[in-house]
Amino acid sequence: MKFLHLSDLHIGKSVHGFSMLEEQKHVFEQILRYIQSQQVNAVVIAGDIYDHAIPRNEAIRVFDDFLTELAHKNVTVLLIAGNHDSPDRISYANRLLTDKQLFLYGSFNGKLQKVTLTDEYGEVNFWLLPFVKPLSVYTFFEGSPIEDYADALNLVIRTADIDYNARNVLVSHQFFTKTGVEPILSESELNPVGGLDAINISLIEKFDYVALGHLHGTQKIGVEHICYAGSPLKYSFSEIQQTKSVLLVEINEKTSSNVIIKTLPLTPIHDMHELKGKIEELLSDEFSSRVNKEDYLHITLTDEEEILDPMEKIRSVYPNIMTFKFENSRTKNNYLPQIQQNSEQQTNQQLSRYELFSEFFLKACGCAMSLEQSRIVKELLATEVTE
């Protein structure tokens, strides 16, 4: 039996103000072609279908089109909700859709959901577990000791009627880790402080394959058969070195090594890159001709002098620039307004007009105000108040 493992679609996501909907439709078309060319029997989607619990209409239409095309391919779809999804929205009409071989499980109802498919070797059991928190598990197991995510998952799996002599696939959207193995993390993921949701893979090693969602980088966690599919697109600049893909999983007759995993690459319309240098160099024909000017870019400018409206100048050559920053002697010496040095601490505080202007000046010119400029601004603001 062959199936595609994908996850973390985040349909409707925007990255630095750029909608990813067209990019997402583009990779979905590639996935549909892989279903045809690889003669796939099923598609497993391990959570985070949407980027928001209440998705916009455009995102719903894109997902509806994708599901409709999957149904036309005569493949079984096994889908769970992730931590970004609304469980009720994912589960909507799931009892009707099972007739179309669409198994959509958004809500945890107290037990693992089992879907059994067959091939020439017999049955393959797919166990579907939407994203759960300890409290949602405790609701169904009152009186059982549940202190953390590991306790909750252990209880759910231990109480399921799983015959490990058969072939079993677990589909889950939780943060599974292995001692001594550092997972590849991304800025676009939501991670609780201190890894409080981390669960050791010892709970799930008996499954023939574990199809995980949640982490955006494709990776195996300590063993070959426990895999994060990763997101189909780069959703942050921390992912620029990653090659996005979908996993093709083939399960054969029950043996100690009955699973074959292949990585099928996905190509975006616009890739993500970082550029660094002086603005004159980056805007030159010689430099810009060597890069794809349409890609999504993060640019680091190393100019020492002030530049008026650098974003507008850069965008005249690189229309899809997402972010930029300055890296020069002033930034290296931390000669920045207090607002930037302590931005995280001040996020929810009321800023003064001087601080707001300091931030605007930094973004517009790429450097902090000089002492003389700072003095003039303060005088002007003080004069305006007294008048």
Side-chain angles (χ1 to χ4, degrees):
M1 176 175 295
K2 290 182 180 180
F3 62 88
L4 292 183
H5 169 201
L6 54 150
S7 71
D8 296 270
L9 309 182
H10 288 279
I11 301 173
K13 186 175 183 65
S14 292
V15 180
H16 297 292
F18 286 76
S19 171
M20 294 289 107
L21 278 176
E22 291 304 316
E23 298 281 355
Q24 289 162 341
K25 289 190 284 187
H26 182 68
V27 295
F28 292 162
E29 290 170 1
Q30 295 171 59
I31 291 169
L32 292 169
R33 290 197 294 269
Y34 278 137
I35 291 171
Q36 193 75 30
S37 64
Q38 300 296 326
Q39 298 181 323
V40 169
N41 306 109
V43 174
V44 171
I45 307 178
D48 278 359
I49 311 306
Y50 296 112
D51 193 54
H52 301 287
I54 304 178
R56 294 180 180 273
N57 290 337
E58 314 91 84
I60 295 173
R61 283 195 293 269
V62 169
F63 182 51
D64 181 65
D65 289 343
F66 184 44
L67 275 185
T68 301
E69 289 299 322
L70 289 174
H72 289 163
K73 296 291 184 184
N74 292 320
V75 295
T76 300
V77 177
L78 305 137
L79 179 152
I80 62 171
N83 57 304
H84 276 255
D85 297 312
S86 165
D88 292 337
R89 289 175 184 273
I90 297 299
S91 296
Y92 180 74
N94 65 336
R95 286 178 291 180
L96 293 174
L97 293 173
T98 54
D99 291 339
K100 297 292 185 181
Q101 292 299 295
L102 301 175
F103 298 90
L104 315 181
Y105 288 101
S107 302
F108 176 68
N109 65 357
K111 62 180 181 179
L112 281 176
Q113 298 294 324
K114 182 173 75 168
V115 177
T116 300
L117 305 181
T118 58
D119 62 9
E120 64 269 33
Y121 301 114
E123 295 182 342
V124 179
N125 300 313
F126 288 82
W127 300 90
L128 309 184
L129 178 61
F131 174 75
V132 294
K133 294 182 178 180
L135 182 59
S136 58
V137 174
Y138 182 79
T139 301
F140 296 95
F141 297 92
E142 290 189 21
S144 299
I146 299 178
E147 296 183 358
D148 54 24
Y149 282 83
D151 288 343
L153 267 291
N154 181 44
L155 189 57
V156 170
I157 293 173
R158 180 164 50 83
T159 55
D161 184 19
I162 302 174
D163 177 9
Y164 288 105
N165 292 315
R167 293 178 294 166
N168 297 286
V169 176
L170 175 66
V171 185
S172 176
H173 191 95
Q174 305 288 157
F175 183 27
F176 283 98
T177 62
K178 181 177 174 62
T179 303
V181 177
E182 191 70 26
I184 302 170
L185 301 179
S186 157
E187 292 175 358
S188 57
E189 299 154 4
L190 294 178
N191 297 304
V193 177
L196 297 177
D197 59 347
I199 307 164
N200 193 281
I201 64 166
S202 58
L203 287 178
I204 56 175
E205 287 185 292
K206 289 183 180 180
F207 288 90
D208 293 86
Y209 183 77
V210 180
L212 294 176
H214 186 52
L215 300 189
H216 289 187
T218 304
Q219 56 196 291
K220 299 170 184 177
I221 301 299
V223 292
E224 290 293 310
H225 67 287
I226 301 178
C227 301
Y228 288 99
S231 59
L233 291 165
K234 299 173 184 178
Y235 290 136
S236 76
F237 285 99
S238 64
E239 302 170 38
I240 60 173
Q241 300 301 324
Q242 297 177 9
T243 299
K244 296 301 182 177
S245 61
V246 62
L247 297 180
L248 175 66
V249 183
E250 183 175 355
I251 296 186
N252 298 306
E253 192 173 9
K254 182 79 174 186
T255 64
S256 58
S257 57
N258 64 332
V259 178
I260 301 171
I261 305 167
K262 295 182 180 178
T263 301
L264 306 177
L266 297 173
T267 304
I269 301 173
H270 306 98
D271 204 352
M272 271 190 177
H273 292 291
E274 291 182 324
L275 303 178
K276 182 178 180 179
K278 293 186 175 182
I279 191 167
E280 184 177 349
E281 174 194 4
L282 299 182
L283 300 184
S284 67
D285 291 339
E286 180 184 0
F287 184 94
S288 61
S289 63
R290 300 197 302 266
V291 300
N292 188 339
K293 292 190 284 289
E294 300 295 322
D295 279 346
Y296 298 125
L297 298 174
H298 169 74
I299 290 181
T300 301
L301 297 178
T302 59
D303 300 79
E304 292 290 339
E305 64 275 10
E306 297 173 11
I307 302 172
L308 183 62
D309 202 356
M311 180 67 88
E312 189 65 26
K313 289 182 171 65
I314 295 169
R315 191 159 278 159
S316 67
V317 175
Y318 305 104
N320 292 323
I321 177 176
M322 287 184 162
T323 61
F324 86 97
K325 68 176 183 178
F326 272 80
E327 188 176 293
N328 50 36
S329 60
R330 295 191 186 191
T331 60
K332 290 178 181 177
N333 291 329
N334 293 321
Y335 184 60
L336 294 172
Q338 193 67 22
I339 177 175
Q340 182 164 341
Q341 292 181 24
N342 300 308
S343 59
E344 291 185 3
Q345 294 89 336
Q346 295 186 347
T347 298
N348 299 317
Q349 297 178 7
Q350 182 69 35
L351 301 176
S352 69
R353 292 189 301 166
Y354 173 74
E355 289 170 327
L356 289 170
F357 185 84
S358 297
E359 182 180 29
F360 168 76
F361 188 94
L362 177 67
K363 290 181 178 179
C365 300
C367 62
M369 290 185 288
S370 66
L371 293 176
E372 180 62 18
Q373 291 169 328
S374 178
R375 183 188 63 78
I376 294 172
V377 170
K378 287 180 178 179
E379 287 182 357
L380 290 173
L381 292 173
T383 302
E384 182 180 335
V385 170
T386 56
E387 291 178 353

PDB file of all heavy atoms in Angstrom, residues 121-149:
ATOM      1  N   TYR A 121      -1.721  -7.726   0.957  1.00  0.00           N
ATOM      2  CA  TYR A 121      -1.213  -8.410   2.144  1.00  0.00           C
ATOM      3  C   TYR A 121      -2.226  -8.450   3.288  1.00  0.00           C
ATOM      4  O   TYR A 121      -1.949  -9.018   4.341  1.00  0.00           O
ATOM      5  CB  TYR A 121       0.064  -7.725   2.646  1.00  0.00           C
ATOM      6  CG  TYR A 121       1.167  -7.689   1.619  1.00  0.00           C
ATOM      7  CD1 TYR A 121       1.591  -6.475   1.087  1.00  0.00           C
ATOM      8  CD2 TYR A 121       1.784  -8.852   1.183  1.00  0.00           C
ATOM      9  CE1 TYR A 121       2.607  -6.425   0.141  1.00  0.00           C
ATOM     10  CE2 TYR A 121       2.804  -8.821   0.238  1.00  0.00           C
ATOM     11  CZ  TYR A 121       3.200  -7.599  -0.282  1.00  0.00           C
ATOM     12  OH  TYR A 121       4.203  -7.565  -1.216  1.00  0.00           O
ATOM     13  N   GLY A 122      -3.372  -7.815   3.109  1.00  0.00           N
ATOM     14  CA  GLY A 122      -4.371  -7.812   4.162  1.00  0.00           C
ATOM     15  C   GLY A 122      -4.717  -6.419   4.625  1.00  0.00           C
ATOM     16  O   GLY A 122      -4.742  -5.462   3.831  1.00  0.00           O
ATOM     17  N   GLU A 123      -4.964  -6.263   5.912  1.00  0.00           N
ATOM     18  CA  GLU A 123      -5.449  -5.007   6.474  1.00  0.00           C
ATOM     19  C   GLU A 123      -4.306  -4.097   6.927  1.00  0.00           C
ATOM     20  O   GLU A 123      -3.279  -4.560   7.407  1.00  0.00           O
ATOM     21  CB  GLU A 123      -6.368  -5.275   7.671  1.00  0.00           C
ATOM     22  CG  GLU A 123      -7.653  -6.009   7.312  1.00  0.00           C
ATOM     23  CD  GLU A 123      -8.554  -6.210   8.513  1.00  0.00           C
ATOM     24  OE1 GLU A 123      -8.044  -6.092   9.660  1.00  0.00           O
ATOM     25  OE2 GLU A 123      -9.761  -6.460   8.324  1.00  0.00           O
ATOM     26  N   VAL A 124      -4.530  -2.801   6.754  1.00  0.00           N
ATOM     27  CA  VAL A 124      -3.670  -1.771   7.347  1.00  0.00           C
ATOM     28  C   VAL A 124      -4.576  -0.859   8.158  1.00  0.00           C
ATOM     29  O   VAL A 124      -5.529  -0.274   7.626  1.00  0.00           O
ATOM     30  CB  VAL A 124      -2.913  -0.947   6.285  1.00  0.00           C
ATOM     31  CG1 VAL A 124      -2.051   0.115   6.958  1.00  0.00           C
ATOM     32  CG2 VAL A 124      -2.058  -1.844   5.397  1.00  0.00           C
ATOM     33  N   ASN A 125      -4.302  -0.758   9.457  1.00  0.00           N
ATOM     34  CA  ASN A 125      -5.119   0.054  10.347  1.00  0.00           C
ATOM     35  C   ASN A 125      -4.503   1.438  10.515  1.00  0.00           C
ATOM     36  O   ASN A 125      -3.354   1.564  10.945  1.00  0.00           O
ATOM     37  CB  ASN A 125      -5.243  -0.610  11.717  1.00  0.00           C
ATOM     38  CG  ASN A 125      -5.887  -1.981  11.639  1.00  0.00           C
ATOM     39  OD1 ASN A 125      -6.908  -2.147  10.986  1.00  0.00           O
ATOM     40  ND2 ASN A 125      -5.284  -2.964  12.296  1.00  0.00           N
ATOM     41  N   PHE A 126      -5.271   2.463  10.183  1.00  0.00           N
ATOM     42  CA  PHE A 126      -4.851   3.855  10.382  1.00  0.00           C
ATOM     43  C   PHE A 126      -5.551   4.373  11.631  1.00  0.00           C
ATOM     44  O   PHE A 126      -6.788   4.385  11.714  1.00  0.00           O
ATOM     45  CB  PHE A 126      -5.214   4.708   9.170  1.00  0.00           C
ATOM     46  CG  PHE A 126      -4.371   4.430   7.956  1.00  0.00           C
ATOM     47  CD1 PHE A 126      -4.668   3.363   7.112  1.00  0.00           C
ATOM     48  CD2 PHE A 126      -3.272   5.228   7.650  1.00  0.00           C
ATOM     49  CE1 PHE A 126      -3.890   3.110   5.992  1.00  0.00           C
ATOM     50  CE2 PHE A 126      -2.494   4.985   6.534  1.00  0.00           C
ATOM     51  CZ  PHE A 126      -2.799   3.920   5.705  1.00  0.00           C
ATOM     52  N   TRP A 127      -4.773   4.793  12.610  1.00  0.00           N
ATOM     53  CA  TRP A 127      -5.292   5.307  13.868  1.00  0.00           C
ATOM     54  C   TRP A 127      -5.161   6.830  13.858  1.00  0.00           C
ATOM     55  O   TRP A 127      -4.063   7.367  13.770  1.00  0.00           O
ATOM     56  CB  TRP A 127      -4.520   4.712  15.042  1.00  0.00           C
ATOM     57  CG  TRP A 127      -4.621   3.213  15.093  1.00  0.00           C
ATOM     58  CD1 TRP A 127      -3.788   2.315  14.486  1.00  0.00           C
ATOM     59  CD2 TRP A 127      -5.608   2.439  15.774  1.00  0.00           C
ATOM     60  NE1 TRP A 127      -4.187   1.022  14.749  1.00  0.00           N
ATOM     61  CE2 TRP A 127      -5.310   1.069  15.550  1.00  0.00           C
ATOM     62  CE3 TRP A 127      -6.710   2.758  16.569  1.00  0.00           C
ATOM     63  CZ2 TRP A 127      -6.073   0.038  16.081  1.00  0.00           C
ATOM     64  CZ3 TRP A 127      -7.476   1.725  17.100  1.00  0.00           C
ATOM     65  CH2 TRP A 127      -7.157   0.388  16.859  1.00  0.00           C
ATOM     66  N   LEU A 128      -6.300   7.517  13.921  1.00  0.00           N
ATOM     67  CA  LEU A 128      -6.325   8.970  13.733  1.00  0.00           C
ATOM     68  C   LEU A 128      -6.523   9.659  15.073  1.00  0.00           C
ATOM     69  O   LEU A 128      -7.526   9.445  15.763  1.00  0.00           O
ATOM     70  CB  LEU A 128      -7.451   9.358  12.775  1.00  0.00           C
ATOM     71  CG  LEU A 128      -7.481   8.596  11.436  1.00  0.00           C
ATOM     72  CD1 LEU A 128      -8.593   9.140  10.542  1.00  0.00           C
ATOM     73  CD2 LEU A 128      -6.142   8.681  10.718  1.00  0.00           C
ATOM     74  N   LEU A 129      -5.572  10.515  15.430  1.00  0.00           N
ATOM     75  CA  LEU A 129      -5.623  11.232  16.706  1.00  0.00           C
ATOM     76  C   LEU A 129      -5.463  12.725  16.460  1.00  0.00           C
ATOM     77  O   LEU A 129      -4.344  13.215  16.254  1.00  0.00           O
ATOM     78  CB  LEU A 129      -4.527  10.738  17.652  1.00  0.00           C
ATOM     79  CG  LEU A 129      -4.450  11.436  19.014  1.00  0.00           C
ATOM     80  CD1 LEU A 129      -5.745  11.235  19.792  1.00  0.00           C
ATOM     81  CD2 LEU A 129      -3.263  10.923  19.814  1.00  0.00           C
ATOM     82  N   PRO A 130      -6.560  13.495  16.471  1.00  0.00           N
ATOM     83  CA  PRO A 130      -6.443  14.955  16.331  1.00  0.00           C
ATOM     84  C   PRO A 130      -5.622  15.535  17.479  1.00  0.00           C
ATOM     85  O   PRO A 130      -5.430  14.889  18.512  1.00  0.00           O
ATOM     86  CB  PRO A 130      -7.893  15.437  16.387  1.00  0.00           C
ATOM     87  CG  PRO A 130      -8.730  14.229  16.154  1.00  0.00           C
ATOM     88  CD  PRO A 130      -7.947  13.064  16.666  1.00  0.00           C
ATOM     89  N   PHE A 131      -5.161  16.765  17.303  1.00  0.00           N
ATOM     90  CA  PHE A 131      -4.414  17.439  18.363  1.00  0.00           C
ATOM     91  C   PHE A 131      -5.245  17.495  19.641  1.00  0.00           C
ATOM     92  O   PHE A 131      -6.417  17.881  19.620  1.00  0.00           O
ATOM     93  CB  PHE A 131      -4.048  18.863  17.927  1.00  0.00           C
ATOM     94  CG  PHE A 131      -3.392  19.672  19.012  1.00  0.00           C
ATOM     95  CD1 PHE A 131      -2.074  19.440  19.357  1.00  0.00           C
ATOM     96  CD2 PHE A 131      -4.106  20.648  19.702  1.00  0.00           C
ATOM     97  CE1 PHE A 131      -1.467  20.177  20.370  1.00  0.00           C
ATOM     98  CE2 PHE A 131      -3.516  21.389  20.705  1.00  0.00           C
ATOM     99  CZ  PHE A 131      -2.183  21.146  21.037  1.00  0.00           C
ATOM    100  N   VAL A 132      -4.636  17.089  20.748  1.00  0.00           N
ATOM    101  CA  VAL A 132      -5.338  17.112  22.034  1.00  0.00           C
ATOM    102  C   VAL A 132      -4.470  17.774  23.086  1.00  0.00           C
ATOM    103  O   VAL A 132      -3.239  17.767  23.002  1.00  0.00           O
ATOM    104  CB  VAL A 132      -5.709  15.687  22.517  1.00  0.00           C
ATOM    105  CG1 VAL A 132      -6.727  15.050  21.607  1.00  0.00           C
ATOM    106  CG2 VAL A 132      -4.463  14.807  22.652  1.00  0.00           C
ATOM    107  N   LYS A 133      -5.132  18.342  24.066  1.00  0.00           N
ATOM    108  CA  LYS A 133      -4.472  18.859  25.260  1.00  0.00           C
ATOM    109  C   LYS A 133      -4.838  17.946  26.434  1.00  0.00           C
ATOM    110  O   LYS A 133      -5.856  17.234  26.392  1.00  0.00           O
ATOM    111  CB  LYS A 133      -4.913  20.299  25.536  1.00  0.00           C
ATOM    112  CG  LYS A 133      -4.465  21.283  24.474  1.00  0.00           C
ATOM    113  CD  LYS A 133      -4.881  22.703  24.828  1.00  0.00           C
ATOM    114  CE  LYS A 133      -4.386  23.692  23.772  1.00  0.00           C
ATOM    115  NZ  LYS A 133      -4.776  25.086  24.098  1.00  0.00           N
ATOM    116  N   PRO A 134      -4.025  17.943  27.486  1.00  0.00           N
ATOM    117  CA  PRO A 134      -4.319  17.062  28.635  1.00  0.00           C
ATOM    118  C   PRO A 134      -5.739  17.201  29.167  1.00  0.00           C
ATOM    119  O   PRO A 134      -6.382  16.201  29.499  1.00  0.00           O
ATOM    120  CB  PRO A 134      -3.273  17.492  29.664  1.00  0.00           C
ATOM    121  CG  PRO A 134      -2.115  17.962  28.847  1.00  0.00           C
ATOM    122  CD  PRO A 134      -2.734  18.639  27.658  1.00  0.00           C
ATOM    123  N   LEU A 135      -6.248  18.432  29.234  1.00  0.00           N
ATOM    124  CA  LEU A 135      -7.588  18.637  29.776  1.00  0.00           C
ATOM    125  C   LEU A 135      -8.654  17.972  28.918  1.00  0.00           C
ATOM    126  O   LEU A 135      -9.619  17.394  29.442  1.00  0.00           O
ATOM    127  CB  LEU A 135      -7.887  20.130  29.915  1.00  0.00           C
ATOM    128  CG  LEU A 135      -9.248  20.489  30.531  1.00  0.00           C
ATOM    129  CD1 LEU A 135      -9.367  19.895  31.932  1.00  0.00           C
ATOM    130  CD2 LEU A 135      -9.427  22.005  30.568  1.00  0.00           C
ATOM    131  N   SER A 136      -8.498  18.024  27.590  1.00  0.00           N
ATOM    132  CA  SER A 136      -9.495  17.413  26.708  1.00  0.00           C
ATOM    133  C   SER A 136      -9.495  15.896  26.837  1.00  0.00           C
ATOM    134  O   SER A 136     -10.522  15.246  26.621  1.00  0.00           O
ATOM    135  CB  SER A 136      -9.254  17.824  25.254  1.00  0.00           C
ATOM    136  OG  SER A 136      -7.964  17.451  24.826  1.00  0.00           O
ATOM    137  N   VAL A 137      -8.353  15.305  27.187  1.00  0.00           N
ATOM    138  CA  VAL A 137      -8.301  13.867  27.429  1.00  0.00           C
ATOM    139  C   VAL A 137      -8.901  13.540  28.789  1.00  0.00           C
ATOM    140  O   VAL A 137      -9.659  12.581  28.950  1.00  0.00           O
ATOM    141  CB  VAL A 137      -6.845  13.350  27.333  1.00  0.00           C
ATOM    142  CG1 VAL A 137      -6.767  11.878  27.733  1.00  0.00           C
ATOM    143  CG2 VAL A 137      -6.306  13.553  25.920  1.00  0.00           C
ATOM    144  N   TYR A 138      -8.578  14.364  29.783  1.00  0.00           N
ATOM    145  CA  TYR A 138      -9.063  14.121  31.145  1.00  0.00           C
ATOM    146  C   TYR A 138     -10.590  14.109  31.189  1.00  0.00           C
ATOM    147  O   TYR A 138     -11.196  13.379  31.999  1.00  0.00           O
ATOM    148  CB  TYR A 138      -8.518  15.191  32.091  1.00  0.00           C
ATOM    149  CG  TYR A 138      -8.935  14.975  33.536  1.00  0.00           C
ATOM    150  CD1 TYR A 138      -8.285  14.030  34.325  1.00  0.00           C
ATOM    151  CD2 TYR A 138      -9.980  15.706  34.089  1.00  0.00           C
ATOM    152  CE1 TYR A 138      -8.669  13.822  35.646  1.00  0.00           C
ATOM    153  CE2 TYR A 138     -10.369  15.502  35.400  1.00  0.00           C
ATOM    154  CZ  TYR A 138      -9.715  14.565  36.178  1.00  0.00           C
ATOM    155  OH  TYR A 138     -10.100  14.348  37.469  1.00  0.00           O
ATOM    156  N   THR A 139     -11.225  14.882  30.312  1.00  0.00           N
ATOM    157  CA  THR A 139     -12.687  14.932  30.275  1.00  0.00           C
ATOM    158  C   THR A 139     -13.287  13.543  30.089  1.00  0.00           C
ATOM    159  O   THR A 139     -14.358  13.242  30.623  1.00  0.00           O
ATOM    160  CB  THR A 139     -13.153  15.853  29.129  1.00  0.00           C
ATOM    161  OG1 THR A 139     -12.613  17.155  29.328  1.00  0.00           O
ATOM    162  CG2 THR A 139     -14.669  15.935  29.075  1.00  0.00           C
ATOM    163  N   PHE A 140     -12.585  12.678  29.352  1.00  0.00           N
ATOM    164  CA  PHE A 140     -13.100  11.336  29.082  1.00  0.00           C
ATOM    165  C   PHE A 140     -12.539  10.280  30.034  1.00  0.00           C
ATOM    166  O   PHE A 140     -12.972   9.130  29.993  1.00  0.00           O
ATOM    167  CB  PHE A 140     -12.765  10.935  27.641  1.00  0.00           C
ATOM    168  CG  PHE A 140     -13.418  11.798  26.602  1.00  0.00           C
ATOM    169  CD1 PHE A 140     -12.751  12.881  26.052  1.00  0.00           C
ATOM    170  CD2 PHE A 140     -14.714  11.545  26.190  1.00  0.00           C
ATOM    171  CE1 PHE A 140     -13.342  13.684  25.092  1.00  0.00           C
ATOM    172  CE2 PHE A 140     -15.329  12.340  25.240  1.00  0.00           C
ATOM    173  CZ  PHE A 140     -14.641  13.414  24.688  1.00  0.00           C
ATOM    174  N   PHE A 141     -11.562  10.670  30.846  1.00  0.00           N
ATOM    175  CA  PHE A 141     -10.929   9.713  31.759  1.00  0.00           C
ATOM    176  C   PHE A 141     -10.831  10.322  33.166  1.00  0.00           C
ATOM    177  O   PHE A 141      -9.756  10.369  33.764  1.00  0.00           O
ATOM    178  CB  PHE A 141      -9.527   9.332  31.267  1.00  0.00           C
ATOM    179  CG  PHE A 141      -9.503   8.626  29.945  1.00  0.00           C
ATOM    180  CD1 PHE A 141      -9.352   9.342  28.763  1.00  0.00           C
ATOM    181  CD2 PHE A 141      -9.626   7.248  29.871  1.00  0.00           C
ATOM    182  CE1 PHE A 141      -9.319   8.694  27.534  1.00  0.00           C
ATOM    183  CE2 PHE A 141      -9.596   6.591  28.656  1.00  0.00           C
ATOM    184  CZ  PHE A 141      -9.451   7.313  27.479  1.00  0.00           C
ATOM    185  N   GLU A 142     -11.938  10.814  33.667  1.00  0.00           N
ATOM    186  CA  GLU A 142     -11.926  11.446  34.987  1.00  0.00           C
ATOM    187  C   GLU A 142     -11.454  10.453  36.044  1.00  0.00           C
ATOM    188  O   GLU A 142     -11.853   9.286  36.060  1.00  0.00           O
ATOM    189  CB  GLU A 142     -13.317  11.970  35.330  1.00  0.00           C
ATOM    190  CG  GLU A 142     -13.728  13.171  34.485  1.00  0.00           C
ATOM    191  CD  GLU A 142     -15.016  13.791  34.997  1.00  0.00           C
ATOM    192  OE1 GLU A 142     -15.347  13.559  36.171  1.00  0.00           O
ATOM    193  OE2 GLU A 142     -15.672  14.508  34.220  1.00  0.00           O
ATOM    194  N   GLY A 143     -10.595  10.916  36.907  1.00  0.00           N
ATOM    195  CA  GLY A 143     -10.035  10.055  37.936  1.00  0.00           C
ATOM    196  C   GLY A 143      -8.684   9.480  37.572  1.00  0.00           C
ATOM    197  O   GLY A 143      -7.946   9.017  38.450  1.00  0.00           O
ATOM    198  N   SER A 144      -8.336   9.505  36.281  1.00  0.00           N
ATOM    199  CA  SER A 144      -7.021   9.012  35.854  1.00  0.00           C
ATOM    200  C   SER A 144      -5.986  10.111  36.056  1.00  0.00           C
ATOM    201  O   SER A 144      -6.262  11.290  35.800  1.00  0.00           O
ATOM    202  CB  SER A 144      -7.056   8.595  34.387  1.00  0.00           C
ATOM    203  OG  SER A 144      -7.987   7.548  34.189  1.00  0.00           O
ATOM    204  N   PRO A 145      -4.784   9.758  36.507  1.00  0.00           N
ATOM    205  CA  PRO A 145      -3.744  10.778  36.713  1.00  0.00           C
ATOM    206  C   PRO A 145      -3.185  11.296  35.393  1.00  0.00           C
ATOM    207  O   PRO A 145      -2.516  10.571  34.662  1.00  0.00           O
ATOM    208  CB  PRO A 145      -2.674  10.025  37.513  1.00  0.00           C
ATOM    209  CG  PRO A 145      -2.864   8.585  37.132  1.00  0.00           C
ATOM    210  CD  PRO A 145      -4.332   8.408  36.880  1.00  0.00           C
ATOM    211  N   ILE A 146      -3.481  12.541  35.068  1.00  0.00           N
ATOM    212  CA  ILE A 146      -2.978  13.173  33.842  1.00  0.00           C
ATOM    213  C   ILE A 146      -2.363  14.506  34.243  1.00  0.00           C
ATOM    214  O   ILE A 146      -3.074  15.441  34.606  1.00  0.00           O
ATOM    215  CB  ILE A 146      -4.098  13.398  32.810  1.00  0.00           C
ATOM    216  CG1 ILE A 146      -4.716  12.060  32.398  1.00  0.00           C
ATOM    217  CG2 ILE A 146      -3.547  14.131  31.592  1.00  0.00           C
ATOM    218  CD1 ILE A 146      -5.873  12.205  31.413  1.00  0.00           C
ATOM    219  N   GLU A 147      -1.047  14.579  34.186  1.00  0.00           N
ATOM    220  CA  GLU A 147      -0.360  15.802  34.570  1.00  0.00           C
ATOM    221  C   GLU A 147       0.204  16.568  33.382  1.00  0.00           C
ATOM    222  O   GLU A 147       0.456  17.765  33.480  1.00  0.00           O
ATOM    223  CB  GLU A 147       0.775  15.480  35.546  1.00  0.00           C
ATOM    224  CG  GLU A 147       0.295  14.892  36.867  1.00  0.00           C
ATOM    225  CD  GLU A 147       1.431  14.655  37.841  1.00  0.00           C
ATOM    226  OE1 GLU A 147       2.599  14.925  37.453  1.00  0.00           O
ATOM    227  OE2 GLU A 147       1.171  14.210  38.970  1.00  0.00           O
ATOM    228  N   ASP A 148       0.444  15.881  32.271  1.00  0.00           N
ATOM    229  CA  ASP A 148       1.049  16.544  31.115  1.00  0.00           C
ATOM    230  C   ASP A 148       0.620  15.846  29.829  1.00  0.00           C
ATOM    231  O   ASP A 148      -0.192  14.909  29.843  1.00  0.00           O
ATOM    232  CB  ASP A 148       2.579  16.565  31.243  1.00  0.00           C
ATOM    233  CG  ASP A 148       3.167  15.176  31.482  1.00  0.00           C
ATOM    234  OD1 ASP A 148       2.512  14.171  31.109  1.00  0.00           O
ATOM    235  OD2 ASP A 148       4.278  15.085  32.035  1.00  0.00           O
ATOM    236  N   TYR A 149       1.180  16.307  28.707  1.00  0.00           N
ATOM    237  CA  TYR A 149       0.836  15.752  27.403  1.00  0.00           C
ATOM    238  C   TYR A 149       1.219  14.277  27.307  1.00  0.00           C
ATOM    239  O   TYR A 149       0.490  13.475  26.706  1.00  0.00           O
ATOM    240  CB  TYR A 149       1.541  16.538  26.300  1.00  0.00           C
ATOM    241  CG  TYR A 149       0.889  17.856  25.965  1.00  0.00           C
ATOM    242  CD1 TYR A 149       1.146  18.997  26.712  1.00  0.00           C
ATOM    243  CD2 TYR A 149       0.014  17.970  24.884  1.00  0.00           C
ATOM    244  CE1 TYR A 149       0.552  20.213  26.409  1.00  0.00           C
ATOM    245  CE2 TYR A 149      -0.584  19.175  24.560  1.00  0.00           C
ATOM    246  CZ  TYR A 149      -0.315  20.300  25.328  1.00  0.00           C
ATOM    247  OH  TYR A 149      -0.911  21.502  25.025  1.00  0.00           O
TER     248      TYR A 149
END
